[in-house]
Amino acid sequence: RRYPTVETRAEAFNGSTHVAVPSDSDFLKALLFELRLTDDQSFVEHRDTCTRIDHSSVHSVRIEGGDLWPVVAFQKSGLIYACLPLVEETLEPRPPLLTISGLSQGLALLFGILDYISPSRKNEAEMSAKIGQLRNLLIQACPLGTPLNTNISSLNSSFDDIQVTPTDEKQPVWRSNTYKGKPQVNVCITEKVKCMQYDKRDVVDMWQVYGAVNCKCDIEGAAPNVTLTLNLPTNGSPLQDILVHHCVTSIDPAMLMSSSVDPLDDSVYSGPYKFPFIPPSDSFNLCYYTSQVPVPPILGCYQLIEEGSQLKLTVNLKLHESIKNSFEYCEARIPFFNRGPIAHLEYKVSYGQLDLSREKSLLVWVIGQKFPKSSEVSLTGTVTFGTAGEEHPTDYVCTGNTAYVKMYFRIPDFTLTGCYVDQHSVQIFAPGKPKITASRELISSDYYIWNSEASAPIMYKSLYY
């Protein structure tokens, strides 16, 4: 989909240096070439030189009139998702990516399209139907080139309930329709914890929490006012790097000043965090945040030693005393790269159950829904491998004894920062007594425990810088 108004604005910003967007076919051809998806795999210096290493999904696409930048593009399940965001300043010299707001908006819109299409990727007819509906959905989600609602799945593919113009002058553009019925507000705080543990004196372990507050407000009125407050317990970890949805009408500047970039900065704001807003009609993320929590939820030690044709492994895990011992699921996955299928396995677990994957290249240690009273579990074993085949996993980084355990877990009704929503503090300036539902959860994300008997690769350490 093209937006002539956006292209006109881009030309106004860049004047004679403006690079016009080519036809759809020419753009696609250039994008496939940039992503190395053409039949011609010969070396092209401006694209393949070692001095140019792509660290993100932002590309510079070379066309006849010059270079189109920044093009956001990534592949998922056999499809390419791409957009060209507007940079509201001149492109020479190129501004830092973090200063371009259109990049995050474009990514959010592409992820919304991905979430809408991906459940149908195995059914070709259903996928074709969904792609056919995308044009109508984009008219609602991004009518004039600015994303108003990136939750594509929540939109209606028909035009029956779309208001061409708001019936009330006070109704903001992000409220596409008005709700009729009993008022209710659903709030869910989702925190994801990333972690890298090395169990080494000369390498520092790293972890960080990323949070999102999702809201669904079914409230009558053209422009209902809602105030939601996030609270922390006395020993809670302050929220930092707070980003708010555009529907928030005002905010305490001290909240936005708390940053994790400078660890020596003392501008820490411990709440309460108040968000007055006029909610969109559909589900949306009210805010995002990070936090520097004092300890990771699960401390681990992984030792993998090669002795002849065997691998000896030891895994020790400990649940920190401050963590709620009630999981929806908790398991540790131990992959073996660049080796054949597991031919022989002897093991002993102090708790839980150990399973072998169908491909016989992955051990899955199912800990279950609780740690024992000691809060500690252990696994020891020896593994022998058969002859490697093409179907077994390979990895150019994890070679030899360089390996990891990856944790997967979810703890309902718990956050690592302690952040929670007090249902009684939710204020709604609208008729009727609303029903307030608040929930929270902690989920693992990229939670690695590296083998302490080998060196962990630098590239994995750089994920946190």
Side-chain angles (χ1 to χ4, degrees):
R1 183 169 178 83
R2 305 174 72 109
Y3 297 94
T5 52
V6 179
E7 295 185 44
T8 301
R9 291 181 65 195
E11 186 174 1
F13 278 117
N14 293 281
S16 60
T17 62
H18 173 68
V19 178
V21 182
S23 66
D24 291 353
S25 58
D26 289 343
F27 175 77
L28 177 60
K29 183 178 178 181
L31 179 62
L32 292 175
F33 182 80
E34 168 66 22
L35 298 178
R36 302 175 181 84
L37 296 176
T38 58
D39 295 333
D40 183 8
Q41 296 295 323
S42 57
F43 177 81
V44 180
E45 184 171 356
H46 80 269
R47 182 192 69 181
D48 303 321
T49 176
C50 291
T51 59
R52 180 185 167 188
I53 301 176
D54 291 329
H55 291 289
S56 68
S57 299
V58 180
H59 303 272
S60 177
V61 176
R62 181 159 295 185
I63 59 174
E64 187 174 338
D67 290 345
L68 278 179
W69 181 90
V71 176
V72 178
F74 59 87
Q75 299 178 64
K76 189 73 174 179
S77 302
L79 295 176
I80 301 172
Y81 298 82
C83 70
L84 178 59
L86 173 68
V87 180
E88 297 183 286
E89 56 184 300
T90 58
L91 293 177
E92 293 184 5
R94 288 183 178 177
L97 294 181
L98 288 175
T99 65
I100 304 174
S101 61
L103 285 178
S104 57
Q105 294 177 345
L107 269 174
L109 184 62
L110 292 180
F111 283 137
I113 296 173
L114 170 66
D115 292 339
Y116 168 71
I117 290 179
S118 59
S120 308
R121 64 183 184 275
K122 294 182 180 179
N123 187 323
E124 190 171 336
E126 186 179 337
M127 179 181 286
S128 297
K130 283 195 169 185
I131 292 176
Q133 295 170 351
L134 261 181
R135 183 173 181 82
N136 291 349
L137 295 172
L138 282 174
I139 291 175
Q140 303 171 61
C142 192
L144 296 174
T146 300
L148 302 180
N149 186 355
T150 57
N151 187 1
I152 307 296
S153 301
S154 69
L155 300 175
N156 194 323
S157 59
S158 72
F159 289 97
D160 296 339
D161 62 346
I162 302 176
Q163 300 176 16
V164 177
T165 57
T167 57
D168 190 319
E169 292 182 358
K170 296 181 180 179
Q171 182 171 333
V173 292
W174 57 82
R175 282 186 69 81
S176 57
N177 50 51
T178 54
Y179 172 78
K180 298 293 183 183
K182 186 177 180 180
Q184 53 186 358
V185 175
N186 293 302
V187 184
C188 179
I189 303 174
T190 298
E191 289 189 351
K192 294 185 177 181
V193 55
K194 290 189 174 185
C195 190
M196 293 280 170
Q197 296 184 37
Y198 305 97
D199 193 34
K200 291 176 176 287
R201 290 186 176 180
D202 58 334
V203 183
V204 179
D205 293 345
M206 290 171 285
W207 58 90
Q208 190 165 27
V209 171
Y210 300 83
V213 181
N214 184 268
C215 298
K216 178 71 166 68
C217 302
D218 295 325
I219 306 170
E220 291 186 357
N225 285 286
V226 180
T227 299
L228 186 146
T229 304
L230 300 180
N231 296 286
L232 293 176
T234 305
N235 58 346
S237 300
L239 309 187
Q240 299 174 306
D241 307 323
I242 299 174
L243 297 175
V244 299
H245 192 273
H246 58 73
C247 71
V248 175
T249 54
S250 65
I251 196 168
D252 189 333
M255 290 169 53
L256 303 180
M257 294 297 291
S258 183
S259 171
S260 63
V261 174
D262 186 359
L264 300 178
D265 187 6
D266 59 357
S267 60
V268 176
Y269 184 79
S270 299
Y273 306 87
K274 286 193 174 184
F275 299 89
F277 60 95
I278 300 174
S281 306
D282 301 297
S283 174
F284 70 102
N285 285 326
L286 176 66
C287 70
Y288 300 91
Y289 61 85
T290 68
S291 184
Q292 301 285 348
V293 295
V295 292
I298 298 177
L299 295 168
C301 174
Y302 179 33
Q303 293 180 322
L304 185 69
I305 303 173
E306 193 164 359
E307 293 186 357
S309 60
Q310 286 186 335
L311 283 180
K312 288 192 172 184
L313 63 99
T314 302
V315 183
N316 295 308
L317 302 174
K318 181 178 181 180
L319 181 69
H320 192 270
E321 58 186 12
S322 64
I323 307 303
K324 180 182 179 183
N325 190 9
S326 179
F327 294 79
E328 180 180 305
Y329 58 85
C330 181
E331 63 182 41
R333 298 185 184 181
I334 311 169
F336 295 97
F337 300 107
N338 311 308
R339 305 177 189 272
I342 294 176
H344 183 70
L345 170 65
E346 292 184 5
Y347 69 91
K348 180 181 179 181
V349 291
S350 66
Y351 193 80
Q353 174 183 330
L354 189 68
D355 297 324
L356 179 61
S357 69
R358 181 181 300 177
E359 299 81 12
K360 297 185 177 180
S361 59
L362 173 71
L363 297 180
V364 181
W365 182 12
V366 180
I367 297 168
Q369 297 181 324
K370 277 186 177 293
F371 273 67
K373 287 185 177 181
S374 63
S375 299
E376 297 184 32
V377 294
S378 63
L379 161 67
T380 57
T382 58
V383 184
T384 306
F385 300 90
T387 305
E390 293 183 358
E391 68 279 7
H392 291 281
T394 58
D395 192 300
Y396 296 107
V397 175
C398 297
T399 58
N401 288 349
T402 298
Y404 60 75
V405 173
K406 190 172 183 181
M407 300 297 302
Y408 294 82
F409 57 82
R410 176 182 181 270
I411 307 178
D413 193 28
F414 180 80
T415 51
L416 204 53
T417 60
C419 182
Y420 68 96
V421 173
D422 182 358
Q423 299 182 28
H424 301 290
S425 69
V426 178
Q427 296 177 306
I428 300 177
F429 302 95
K433 186 177 181 181
K435 177 183 178 182
I436 312 294
T437 304
S439 61
R440 54 183 185 163
E441 61 182 356
L442 176 68
I443 302 174
S444 63
S445 173
D446 296 331
Y447 203 105
Y448 292 94
I449 301 170
W450 288 92
N451 176 23
S452 60
E453 299 297 319
S455 58
I458 298 298
M459 66 171 289
Y460 283 89
K461 298 178 188 178
S462 66
L463 290 176
Y464 288 82
Y465 291 102

